[in-house]
Amino acid sequence: DRSGQISANELHRCLSMGGNNFDMATIYKLITSFDSDRSGQVGLNEFVAMHRYLVTMRDSFRYFDRDNSGTLDSNELLQTLQRSG
C-alpha cells in the first residue's frame, strides 16, 4: 500500500512468497519482537533486522540438520544445544 510500513497480512504474504509459511500467530510474534516503535507494523529498519534474524535462524538450522531431512533429530538437537552453551 506504499505506506512505508508492513502490516501483518503484508508480512505474511511476503514471507510466504519466500517459502516461509508461518501461521499468523507467528507473524504477530515476529512483528511484536521487531516493532521497536510499537506501531503494530514494521518499517524498513525493523524489517531489515527481522530479515537478518530469520536468515541467521535458517542458516543455523541448516548447519545442524546434518542429514538434510528438514527436521532436527535428537542427536542434531543435542549438538545444537551443546554448541549454544
Side-chain angles (χ1 to χ4, degrees), residues 8-9 11-31 34 47 50-51 53-55 57-58:
N9 287 330
L11 181 60
H12 184 257
R13 193 168 45 252
C14 173
L15 292 175
S16 293
M17 284 190 270
N20 298 298
N21 298 314
F22 298 120
D23 61 23
M24 286 305 291
T26 302
I27 297 295
Y28 288 119
K29 287 178 186 177
L30 283 169
I31 288 177
F34 289 92
F47 179 77
M50 180 189 307
H51 184 264
Y53 170 80
L54 292 171
V55 167
M57 292 298 102
R58 181 200 63 207

Side-chain angles (χ1 to χ4, degrees), residues 6-8 11 24-43 46 50:
I6 300 172
S7 69
L11 181 60
M24 286 305 291
T26 302
I27 297 295
Y28 288 119
K29 287 178 186 177
L30 283 169
I31 288 177
T32 299
S33 297
F34 289 92
D35 179 20
S36 59
D37 64 0
R38 302 295 177 234
S39 67
Q41 300 181 329
V42 290
E46 296 163 333
M50 180 189 307

Side-chain angles (χ1 to χ4, degrees), residues 47-64:
F47 179 77
V48 168
M50 180 189 307
H51 184 264
R52 283 187 188 134
Y53 170 80
L54 292 171
V55 167
T56 300
M57 292 298 102
R58 181 200 63 207
D59 292 347
S60 179
F61 182 89
R62 287 180 177 166
Y63 176 81
F64 287 106

